[in-house]
Amino acid sequence: MIPLEDTGMMEAVDIDSETRMAVDGSTEPPEGYRDPDISVAIRELKSPNHRNASIAAEFLFERSHTEHERSSWNKNQIRNEGGIPILCQLLKSPSWHVRYHACSALSELAFRNEKNCKAIVENSWALQSLVEMLSTTYTTMQEDAALVINNCAAFCEEACLVMIKHPGLVQALKALVTDGLFGAKNVSVGAINCLTRCDSAKKLLNDLKIVEEALIPAIQEAGYGEKYNARVCRASMAIANLTGSCYEPLTTISHYHTVAAMVEILGYSLEGKSWAGINFAPYSVLYPLRSLAYNPKHRKELIECGLIERIAETMNTWKLEDHRSRQVLLIAIDIANVLFKTPDYKGIFFSSGIFAATKLVASGRRDEGQECIALAESLLSELSKYPVAVWMGLHQRLGAKSQFQLLDEYVVGIILEYSFKGYKCN
């Protein structure tokens, strides 16, 4: 079996987040659903025969994989039948193969399943075993251990604080970022990026000097290729999450390119496409972009890179899919509110489609929720205060002979709707 190189691959939902193809792991299976083969595999995990235990763990990985048609239901069954604590115990197995397959299974069980993430980090065996695996000399083991942390952090904010507080865990990730081999560096940066999206953990991470001692060195290190670009971009996202700014490296990597790359990645994410081999989730990209938008020095740059258009696209294509969906919408509206205050760029809002998109959210027809609707209505109110001249029909000299004078209010209303991509002026 080929190990996953990056949570972002499936996730890359960075994994960094979440694969668009995956079913929401939090959904419960139909009443009475049970895969008998899974039950057998869970029992076989306890076998004293290392080969049998390894095969059982690998089987559970395959049943949990997002490519399996019932993966979300299978993940819940494995948790409900006690499979997670046994897999956590197997991380201490003397057999390398058992540890490897148990770790792979846990990383997939955590993917898009908040309850499984909690079950993993609350297990007394799991976190210490993961720290030891991060510190091993086996690169594949290091990558898999970092992937478990990545997925737990990506899909469960409560898990972030638990992991960050665990002795040696953050230090082990930092060591891999600076001294690990290529693959381990990449996954460890991804894991740290996910951890930085936990608001309650930011002070702890800053106290541990994660920016100075891990993220900046990751950006400064020379390299090339898609995976290297992904590492640099995720390190930049993590810095933005923690500091509200972009690090301006002394290398040939351009600060401007980093910000532009984030906006570009959001476009790929909204289309369900991968960037540098990673399928970033919209939430994982919007979160650092909001941090940058709060910083006045980045606002013009974000607008010039096309962020307003991407925000409109986010609102237009939004669907209620999981517990993060409304957060995506709230962040998008928040960014639009902040950027609208930027002088000299208000005209872009009238050509970006943001008005129609905000109206769609305010309508609530897609079950956006009251908080999103209220924010959208507030944004519409602000946008409507900005005066725009559509034609000079009433001007004594310029409009005296204008054919627009022949149009009634209904037709004028239609013209305004088209002029502002769905936003009807008062």
Side-chain angles (χ1 to χ4, degrees):
M1 180 180 64
I2 300 174
L4 297 177
E5 293 209 2
D6 190 330
T7 211
M9 305 236 147
M10 317 286 325
E11 151 204 304
V13 201
D14 140 6
I15 104 174
D16 229 48
S17 293
E18 319 156 24
T19 14
R20 313 290 298 214
M21 296 172 55
V23 180
D24 178 15
S26 64
T27 58
E28 294 297 327
E31 185 176 355
Y33 174 83
R34 177 178 172 274
D35 184 334
D37 292 333
I38 287 178
S39 302
V40 172
I42 291 174
R43 290 196 298 270
E44 199 62 27
L45 290 174
K46 300 178 181 179
S47 171
N49 185 306
H50 291 160
R51 183 173 182 275
N52 291 347
S54 177
I55 291 173
E58 184 177 12
F59 176 83
L60 294 179
F61 165 83
E62 292 169 351
R63 280 291 198 270
S64 302
H65 198 281
T66 53
E67 291 185 359
H68 193 282
E69 61 182 352
R70 294 185 294 275
S71 64
S72 65
W73 300 347
N74 294 338
K75 290 177 184 182
N76 290 334
Q77 180 183 345
I78 293 169
R79 181 188 68 251
N80 292 335
E81 295 188 9
I84 289 178
I86 305 173
L87 288 167
C88 291
Q89 290 179 28
L90 291 179
L91 296 178
K92 293 281 190 180
S93 171
S95 166
W96 185 94
H97 291 287
V98 172
R99 294 198 306 275
Y100 166 70
H101 288 300
C103 194
S104 295
L106 288 171
S107 70
E108 201 59 41
L109 284 165
F111 186 81
R112 297 200 72 171
N113 193 302
E114 187 175 14
K115 291 180 180 178
N116 285 356
C117 294
K118 290 180 181 178
I120 291 169
V121 301
E122 291 171 357
N123 184 276
S124 59
W125 294 84
L127 294 186
Q128 186 54 39
S129 298
L130 291 173
V131 171
E132 293 171 4
M133 295 170 76
L134 290 172
S135 306
T136 186
T137 55
Y138 297 106
T139 302
T140 304
M141 197 76 80
Q142 292 171 340
E143 293 179 24
D144 263 23
L147 187 57
V148 175
I149 296 168
N150 184 114
N151 290 1
C152 286
F155 302 107
C156 179
E157 189 162 336
E158 289 181 40
C160 292
L161 205 54
V162 176
M163 292 188 290
I164 291 169
K165 289 182 175 180
H166 187 84
L169 189 144
V170 173
Q171 288 81 351
L173 287 174
K174 287 169 60 178
L176 286 181
V177 171
T178 55
D179 302 319
L181 296 180
F182 186 79
K185 284 177 183 283
N186 296 340
V187 186
S188 297
V189 168
I192 290 173
N193 182 34
C194 291
L195 289 170
T196 62
R197 294 198 291 268
C198 175
D199 291 335
S200 58
K202 290 181 180 180
K203 184 179 184 305
L204 286 174
L205 289 171
N206 283 322
D207 289 345
L208 291 168
K209 299 186 181 300
I210 200 77
V211 173
E212 301 91 329
E213 297 179 0
L215 297 173
I216 289 178
I219 292 175
Q220 288 178 327
E221 182 180 346
Y224 62 91
E226 278 196 341
K227 292 182 183 295
Y228 169 78
N229 292 338
R231 185 207 308 168
V232 170
C233 201
R234 290 202 280 186
S236 299
M237 288 178 178
I239 292 174
N241 293 339
L242 293 175
T243 69
S245 186
C246 266
Y247 171 68
E248 300 185 32
L250 301 177
T251 65
T252 55
I253 304 167
S254 167
H255 157 60
Y256 181 86
H257 290 165
T258 301
V259 174
M262 291 189 199
V263 178
E264 180 183 8
I265 290 169
L266 178 59
Y268 277 82
S269 173
L270 295 172
E271 294 175 9
K273 298 178 180 179
S274 66
W275 183 89
I278 297 176
N279 296 308
F280 286 87
Y283 175 81
S284 69
V285 189
L286 284 167
Y287 192 98
L289 285 171
R290 177 176 60 179
S291 296
L292 295 179
Y294 282 166
N295 190 331
K297 78 174 186 179
H298 290 303
R299 290 174 188 166
K300 290 183 178 180
E301 188 174 3
L302 289 167
I303 293 172
E304 290 172 357
C305 288
L307 182 56
I308 296 301
E309 289 82 357
R310 296 287 77 78
I311 293 299
E313 185 180 353
T314 301
M315 294 183 187
N316 281 324
T317 60
W318 181 86
K319 295 179 181 178
L320 182 59
E321 295 177 331
D322 54 40
H323 70 292
R324 281 268 169 81
S325 296
R326 290 196 177 101
Q327 288 178 286
V328 167
L329 208 48
L330 289 171
I331 293 175
I333 299 171
D334 194 14
I335 292 174
N337 259 315
V338 171
L339 294 184
F340 187 65
K341 298 178 176 65
T342 307
D344 304 324
Y345 284 88
K346 289 183 172 59
I348 292 179
F349 281 77
F350 290 89
S351 61
S352 67
I354 200 76
F355 298 104
T358 307
K359 277 186 66 177
L360 179 59
V361 175
S363 72
R365 68 182 68 165
R366 298 171 299 179
D367 196 17
E368 284 88 343
Q370 286 304 311
E371 188 176 6
C372 292
I373 292 172
L375 282 178
E377 290 175 344
S378 176
L379 177 57
L380 280 175
S381 177
E382 289 300 313
L383 295 174
S384 65
K385 294 176 184 177
Y386 185 71
V388 175
V390 180
W391 70 73
M392 302 293 290
L394 300 180
H395 193 280
Q396 287 185 351
R397 179 173 58 83
L398 300 178
K401 298 181 180 179
S402 173
Q403 297 297 309
F404 281 120
Q405 301 285 9
L406 303 176
L407 302 177
D408 60 24
E409 290 184 1
Y410 176 76
V411 176
V412 170
I414 293 175
I415 292 173
L416 290 176
E417 289 277 350
Y418 278 99
S419 297
F420 299 102
K421 297 189 177 182
Y423 178 72
K424 190 169 184 177
C425 299
N426 293 325

